[in-house]
Amino acid sequence: MMLHQSNNLSFFTPEDTNSLGAVFFETGISAGFPSPAEDFKEQRLSLDKELIRNKEATFFARVSGQSMIGAGLDDNDLLVIDRSLEPQNNKIAVCFLDGEFTVKRLKVDKDEVWLQPENPNYPIIKITSENNFIIWGIVTNVIKKV
């Protein structure tokens, strides 16, 4: 279910699923020479269990823009955001800044906070007392389409 859409991010909540998960091969998939099929042990894997630590505090957001491409966050990627995690220096965070949501890397030094993009075409943002600023959640995973 979509919750909110801004210029940079569209937010969604996780939905309950009764799925047992997708088939998972514990041995890994070779990117080199093929492995014999009998080496695979079939199990079930739930992406909810892999990606979501705290369901009540977890949201998804779709990225719009190129400011974080250096961190591997591309336009249209789906972010997994945990609002229960403490913000820390160098973490990638979803922030509410002056009426808009944005995703940037946190840089914290003593009493100063910067939002650092991972693209040299975008400026580093220094947070001041004039800004309306909230660290909304910490990005824990990114889901990409190939």
Side-chain angles (χ1 to χ4, degrees):
M1 176 173 84
M2 178 145 56
L3 290 179
H4 175 80
Q5 186 162 0
S6 72
N7 289 338
N8 300 315
L9 296 168
S10 300
F11 291 89
F12 304 86
T13 55
E15 291 185 9
D16 283 328
T17 61
N18 294 327
S19 170
L20 296 174
V23 174
F24 173 65
F25 296 104
E26 180 75 32
T27 58
I29 304 294
S30 174
F33 294 104
S35 294
E38 65 269 8
D39 289 348
F40 292 114
K41 295 177 185 171
E42 184 179 312
Q43 296 180 4
R44 292 295 211 184
L45 176 78
S46 165
L47 288 179
D48 286 352
K49 289 179 183 171
E50 287 291 316
L51 301 177
I52 299 174
R53 294 182 208 148
N54 183 348
K55 184 171 181 190
E56 291 73 32
T58 298
F59 293 83
F60 300 110
R62 193 166 302 282
V63 175
S64 175
Q66 299 291 320
S67 72
M68 293 298 289
I69 57 173
L73 306 184
D74 296 306
D75 193 50
N76 222 24
D77 283 352
L78 193 62
L79 304 178
V80 181
I81 304 157
D82 190 333
R83 296 196 67 195
S84 69
L85 297 177
E86 287 291 321
Q88 295 176 358
N89 184 52
N90 221 31
K91 293 284 185 182
I92 295 176
V94 171
C95 302
F96 188 73
L97 176 64
D98 298 332
E100 278 293 326
F101 282 98
T102 188
V103 59
K104 300 285 184 281
R105 189 172 300 281
L106 292 175
K107 293 298 180 180
V108 181
D109 184 25
K110 298 177 185 163
D111 293 334
E112 296 184 315
V113 176
W114 292 271
L115 301 182
Q116 180 177 326
E118 296 282 340
N119 182 333
N121 296 327
Y122 292 80
I124 295 174
I125 302 165
K126 182 178 181 185
I127 303 303
T128 68
S129 60
E130 282 81 48
N131 292 115
N132 178 7
F133 175 69
I134 297 169
I135 298 172
W136 196 80
I138 301 300
V139 175
T140 58
N141 293 281
V142 60
I143 302 169
K144 297 180 162 297
K145 290 184 181 177
V146 292

